[in-house]
Amino acid sequence: MNLKYLYTLILGLFVFQTATAQRKGYWQQTVDYKMNIDVNEKTYQYNGNMQLKYSNNSGQSLKKVYFHLYFNAFQPGSMMDNRLANIADPDKRMTTNLGTKDKPKYQSRIATLTAKQIGYQKIKSLTMNGNNTSFKVDGTLLEVTLPNAIEDGETATFDMKLGSPSP
């Protein structure tokens, strides 16, 4: 083999390895979801359960985890409702102009939803590895305090029951 090609091959392998290696301090959590959700499109509500396997690759012990509850944005008084009513150029599909073309005053369509139309996520119960957790909802965020830490390299199983409140 020609020495020039050998150097090129070695340099190429070094560049490839350097380019594909994770940078120091970078990590990625791994999650695997299984969901069984019954959606009632007539009442905008749903019930169901979810199982999530969460693998901690952070290099740290985790005492809390967070879930996004995106549907909770669609409630009168939510941050999304407020933002739609107060930004200069809101999404026209999500607002009604109560003003004029020259002097618009936008009302969020979320603000006019009735109790039966609000499609939010209510957590009935949440366990980690079969143990109850404590949690609190803040808008679209679910903060979960774990019954015991998830250590680096461990995988925990969360079981969540979801349900809509009775209208």
Side-chain angles (χ1 to χ4, degrees), residues 15 28 55 65 85 94 128 136 140 144 163:
V15 169
Q28 181 71 44
S55 298
V65 294
M94 296 293 295
M128 181 187 109
K136 67 179 181 176
T140 59
V144 183

Side-chain angles (χ1 to χ4, degrees), residues 84-112:
L84 284 168
N86 292 295
I87 59 176
D89 188 24
D91 185 331
K92 304 295 187 256
R93 298 170 298 175
M94 296 293 295
T95 58
T96 302
N97 184 2
L98 301 177
T100 64
K101 185 176 182 179
D102 295 332
K103 193 170 181 177
K105 177 167 175 33
Y106 295 106
Q107 178 184 42
S108 162
R109 290 187 177 174
I110 295 171
T112 62

Side-chain angles (χ1 to χ4, degrees), residues 36-48:
N36 182 16
I37 308 294
D38 178 33
V39 178
N40 185 331
E41 64 275 355
K42 290 179 183 175
T43 63
Y44 306 96
Q45 305 297 316
Y46 59 91
N47 290 288

